[in-house]
């Protein structure tokens, strides 16, 4: 009986060794995970042809064939905002900090606060930015279509921005 158990234990351990070897072989052929280390990508200033005020971009991921969307942090200083624009395949925003707002051509304005996640459908004319007295950082996940992810339009005027801010609750970053 003792001998039988030992043989079974050896058989089991050989099977386990075989499985481990097979696992190791597939791990050798699989691509390694990669990490974009914090601080490894320089911040970039938002261009004044597409942003009003002081805006900073921190790129995280560029789009590729399997993941056709870019990921970046965008930080708007108080009063800063995008120009009007559209996204051919839409855009998702997740607010990380501060207080901000986003507006659409129909006059609708949405206050956006940390944790809020906003989906903008394809080709909807809109803008996003900070409140006048408070900065705002959002993560932007922007999808590509035919190699393009944004179409920039005209500036959001001070009058348009002020009118939008008035639609946001007074408690939020004015
Ligand atoms: Mn947008």
């Amino acid at each position: 009986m003792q001998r039988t158990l030992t043989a079974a234990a050896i058989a089991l351990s050989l099977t386990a060794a075989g499985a481990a070897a097979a696992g190791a072989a597939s791990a050798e052929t699989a691509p390694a995970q990669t990490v974009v280390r914090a601080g490894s990508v320089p911040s970039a200033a938002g261009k004044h042809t597409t942003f009003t005020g002081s805006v900073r971009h921190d790129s995280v991921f560029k789009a590729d064939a399997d993941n056709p969307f870019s990921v970046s942090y965008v930080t708007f200083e108080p009063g800063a905002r995008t120009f009007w624009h559209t996204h051919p395949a839409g855009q998702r925003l997740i607010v990380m900090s501060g207080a901000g707002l986003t507006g659409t051509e129909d006059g609708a304005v949405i206050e956006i606060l940390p944790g809020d996640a906003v989906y903008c459908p394809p080709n909807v004319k809109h803008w996003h930015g900070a409140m006048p007295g408070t900065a705002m950082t959002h993560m932007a996940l922007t999808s590509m279509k035919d190699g393009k992810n944004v179409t920039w339009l005209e500036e959001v005027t001070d009058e348009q921005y002020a009118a939008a801010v008035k639609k946001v609750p007074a408690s939020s970053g004015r």
Side-chain angles (χ1 to χ4, degrees), residues 64-150:
D64 64 29
D66 289 330
N67 305 276
F69 57 92
S70 60
V71 180
S72 63
Y73 293 104
V74 188
T75 298
F76 299 83
E77 292 297 316
R81 68 266 183 184
T82 67
F83 278 29
W84 289 100
H85 61 283
T86 61
H87 301 288
Q91 183 181 51
R92 291 174 168 88
L93 304 177
I94 303 170
V95 182
M96 313 305 293
S97 64
L101 66 174
T102 178
T104 42
E105 196 175 22
D106 59 7
V109 175
I110 303 171
E111 176 188 31
I112 52 175
L113 297 171
D116 289 342
V118 183
Y119 172 59
C120 182
N123 302 315
V124 170
K125 185 174 174 181
H126 72 289
W127 60 273
H128 26 112
M131 289 298 289
T134 305
M136 186 272 288
T137 298
H138 64 51
M139 178 180 284
L141 300 95
T142 312
S143 298
M144 303 284 290
K145 186 174 185 182
D146 300 328
K148 198 170 181 184
N149 67 6
V150 62

